[in-house]
Amino acid sequence: MNLNLDFATIFERWPAFLQGALLTLQLAFIATALGTVIGVLGAIGRRSSHPIVARICGIYVEVIRNTPLLVQIFLVYFGLASLGLKFSAFAVAAAALTINVGAYTTEIIRAGFDSIPRGQIEAAEGLALSRAQIYWYVVMWPAIEKVYPSLTSQFVLLMLASSVTSQISAEELTAVANYIQSDTYRAFETYILVAIVYIILSLVMRAGFWLLGLVIFPRRRRLGTPL
């Protein structure tokens, strides 16, 4: 068995890899930001006293969690096209990833909401805080702080899952790798390098979320609680 590895040809394409990695991070950032908003609203909706709102949010979560991400991407991509709406592959990929991560974020944040003791909310009501103030200061921020590690892990998984958007020609890292390996006939070397880049991107995202956690949750920093 003679394994002949040639990384020199692959390294010559580093600008393409860099562009693909940056686009992957852009997709992850957009989906993370918008997915967080959807997650907060969805978690509030799932705990709503209005049964219709709670049921709609529940159906959204169950449909997304029980269908493959690739199928969801195809539904958005071909569904919009069938309606005569033309969007770039990047825009469709960002929308599909946002819809997907929004459902998972909804459940994570809802679990955080449910972890807040009822007595803590009653104490806030006894201080005559408004409903909005109670949700913001007593429920939402403490809940997000509790589930922050789970949220960040989900967002890193989202970045890794963005590789499937290559199926609709979104030019992220995996799509770039597919093109390079078909052009150089060095598939093994190409995907070794891509795997290393994904590991680096994951570490960068985790470090970024850790620093963000120190900023928005200073109490954890004082207590030395891991993020």
Side-chain angles (χ1 to χ4, degrees):
M1 179 177 178
N2 185 19
L3 183 60
N4 183 21
L5 299 179
D6 179 14
F7 285 96
T9 303
I10 307 303
F11 287 142
E12 291 176 356
R13 309 297 182 93
W14 69 265
F17 282 111
L18 178 60
Q19 183 178 358
L22 291 176
L23 195 142
T24 296
L25 288 177
Q26 290 176 23
L27 281 174
F29 176 79
I30 293 172
T32 295
L34 298 180
T36 300
V37 175
I38 293 175
V40 171
L41 296 178
I44 294 174
R46 291 216 67 180
R47 301 175 77 249
S48 173
S49 58
H50 300 284
I52 296 179
V53 175
R55 181 65 59 85
I56 291 174
C57 292
I59 291 173
Y60 159 64
V61 169
E62 292 304 317
V63 168
I64 296 301
R65 293 177 67 191
N66 291 286
T67 53
L69 174 57
L70 183 58
V71 172
Q72 297 166 19
I73 292 172
F74 284 155
L75 285 174
V76 175
Y77 185 70
F78 294 112
L80 292 176
S82 66
L83 295 175
L85 301 175
K86 303 296 183 181
F87 294 96
S88 67
F90 178 86
V92 172
L97 291 174
T98 297
I99 294 171
N100 179 271
V101 77
Y104 287 93
T105 304
T106 293
E107 282 301 276
I108 293 173
I109 295 179
R110 183 181 69 86
F113 285 170
D114 291 343
S115 70
I116 302 301
R118 179 60 190 171
Q120 190 169 317
I121 299 175
E122 293 174 350
E125 292 173 345
L127 294 174
L129 295 180
S130 67
R131 186 176 180 83
Q133 288 176 320
I134 292 174
Y135 241 112
W136 182 259
Y137 296 108
V138 181
V139 177
M140 184 178 299
W141 274 112
I144 293 178
E145 182 178 1
K146 287 185 177 182
V147 299
Y148 187 72
S150 298
L151 284 175
T152 57
S153 295
Q154 185 63 50
F155 295 147
V156 172
L157 289 175
L158 166 73
M159 183 275 294
L160 298 175
S162 68
S163 60
V164 300
T165 62
S166 61
Q167 296 298 310
I168 59 170
S169 301
E171 297 180 356
E172 46 73 61
L173 184 58
T174 299
V176 170
N178 292 338
Y179 170 75
I180 291 176
Q181 68 87 18
S182 65
D183 188 46
T184 62
Y185 299 101
R186 290 289 179 178
F188 189 47
E189 295 92 326
T190 298
Y191 290 114
I192 287 177
L193 181 58
V194 167
I196 293 173
V197 174
Y198 272 118
I199 292 172
I200 294 173
L201 293 180
S202 297
L203 295 176
V204 169
M205 286 189 66
R206 291 184 186 279
F209 284 129
W210 177 74
L211 292 174
L212 179 63
L214 294 180
V215 173
I216 62 179
F217 302 123
R219 186 173 67 88
R220 280 181 171 247
R221 179 175 55 189
R222 292 194 300 269
L223 297 177
T225 307
L227 293 170

